Amino acid sequence: MTTARATRSPTLFGSCLCGAVRFEIRGPLGAMSHCHCAMCRKAHGAAFGTYSRVQRSDFVLLSGETSIRAYRSSPAVTRTFCGTCGSTLQWITDDRPDALDVAIGTLDDDPGVRPSLHIFTASKAPWFEITDGLPQRAER
């Protein structure tokens, strides 16, 4: 299982559901994780959100800048989404100004990495059972 940085094509492409927002990632992805916190569950409308970190300099917006909306979900975190279709796009923390986390479900290509852990499992959805054997952290 590949967990952190993997060999893959040099550029990944991604987009929102309606296609208004399109982007490319020109560098390696960090470790991929499933986040079970209540905010990620609500933002994704699912049992968890799956993200991978990328350097800001490797994230290139191709179209849809005016469609992107931002929501400050906690004092140091901003979440972005498409204002037309609602697709979750990014998780951005003030603590890492040179990086952002991309919602993996928005990628159009195989990212070349696979999930390596579950985080915030202490607040996971009570109706979801984690059965994949990946490490689990009660918090981050």
Side-chain angles (χ1 to χ4, degrees):
M1 172 184 3
T2 305
T3 55
R5 299 181 187 264
T7 303
R8 59 166 178 78
S9 118
T11 302
L12 285 173
F13 292 93
S15 58
C16 65
L17 178 61
C18 70
V21 178
R22 293 180 39 250
F23 61 88
E24 64 183 35
I25 298 171
R26 296 179 177 168
L29 295 174
M32 186 186 299
S33 63
H34 296 310
C35 182
H36 295 265
C37 78
M39 287 186 276
C40 281
R41 287 190 286 113
K42 289 188 180 285
H44 287 267
F48 51 82
T50 305
Y51 292 94
S52 187
R53 185 162 305 141
V54 63
Q55 292 300 307
R56 280 185 188 261
S57 59
D58 292 336
F59 184 89
V60 179
L61 189 61
L62 300 175
S63 66
E65 183 175 2
T66 60
S67 295
I68 296 174
R69 303 293 180 267
Y71 173 67
R72 192 78 164 176
S73 60
S74 56
V77 173
T78 300
R79 295 167 185 269
T80 66
F81 59 96
C82 174
T84 302
C85 66
S87 293
T88 297
L89 299 168
Q90 303 164 328
W91 184 91
I92 304 166
T93 179
D94 297 345
D95 298 335
R96 288 187 303 273
D98 295 334
L100 54 87
D101 290 80
V102 174
I104 294 301
T106 61
L107 295 180
D108 299 328
D109 303 308
D110 182 342
V113 294
R114 299 295 180 256
S116 59
L117 76 152
H118 293 268
I119 58 174
F120 289 102
T121 58
S123 59
K124 76 174 191 59
W127 47 265
F128 182 77
E129 182 179 349
I130 300 171
T131 60
D132 59 19
L134 293 175
Q136 299 179 30
R137 294 187 187 159
E139 301 297 325
R140 180 166 265 304

